[in-house]
Amino acid sequence: MTSTLTVSAELHTEVTLFYARHMRAMDEGRVQDWTADFAEDGVFETNARLDPQIGRAAIANGAGAAAQKLLTDNVLRRHCLTTLDIRHGLDEVIHASSYAIIVRTPPGGPTAVEFLCTCDDELIHVNEQLLIRRRSVKRDDLVFTPTGGQ
């Protein structure tokens, strides 16, 4: 359960700068830099996959495969984070929730929104560095399941 206490300007700035660097690393194909932002035993789960990736090595494998596919297809992808909400949790955990707009540009364009998702992270400080302990990504296009009669 998260707290409704306001975070300090310093923490807000630290988290905002963390995400700016983190997302650019993936967008620029620097998978090792991106993966290094996860705790050694970090978890990455998404409604786009049945099973979560557990541990930095598993997360690196998944991210590396995605980055390689973009490189092979010569596609640029950008993660644009918005509506960042930062809250203190229990045991020094920082909860950060945001919307991520994923933009895709194939060779020659056009640039288009690929999908929109909600990103909920649990961040921890380890040796004065922020790390992602758990990331949960929910793609909007996969949230709703069809129901009869609609």
Side-chain angles (χ1 to χ4, degrees):
M1 179 59 78
T2 60
S3 168
T4 58
L5 297 176
T6 304
V7 298
S8 69
E10 291 82 10
L11 179 60
H12 193 279
T13 300
E14 179 185 14
V15 172
T16 300
L17 293 173
F18 169 82
Y19 281 117
R21 182 185 50 74
H22 177 70
M23 293 303 174
R24 286 185 72 97
M26 180 53 87
D27 292 343
E28 294 169 1
R30 294 182 288 113
V31 175
Q32 293 304 319
D33 292 342
W34 183 84
T35 304
D37 289 331
F38 284 85
E40 239 354 282
D41 60 349
V43 176
F44 184 100
E45 61 186 0
T46 174
N47 62 347
R49 272 191 232 101
L50 292 176
D51 297 317
Q53 296 169 330
I54 301 172
R56 192 180 284 162
I59 294 167
N61 285 338
Q68 184 58 52
K69 178 156 179 29
L70 292 171
L71 187 61
T72 300
D73 294 346
N74 198 27
V75 170
L76 292 175
R77 182 184 272 171
R78 303 288 185 241
H79 292 71
C80 306
L81 258 57
T82 183
T83 65
L84 181 60
D85 183 28
I86 305 166
R87 310 230 177 194
H88 289 287
L90 302 175
D91 300 327
E92 304 297 316
V93 174
I94 301 160
H95 295 269
S97 180
S98 62
Y99 295 141
I101 303 165
I102 313 305
V103 180
R104 179 183 180 93
T105 306
T111 297
V113 171
E114 185 173 6
F115 52 85
L116 178 69
C117 55
T118 308
C119 182
D120 292 308
D121 283 353
E122 293 177 5
L123 304 171
I124 55 173
H125 280 104
V126 176
N127 299 326
E128 299 182 25
Q129 176 186 352
L130 277 176
L131 294 177
I132 302 161
R133 182 171 81 174
R134 178 177 212 89
R135 170 166 289 165
S136 178
V137 174
K138 292 189 180 85
R139 285 181 36 181
D140 284 2
D141 59 323
L142 302 177
V143 168
F144 301 103
T145 56
T147 58
Q150 294 224 359

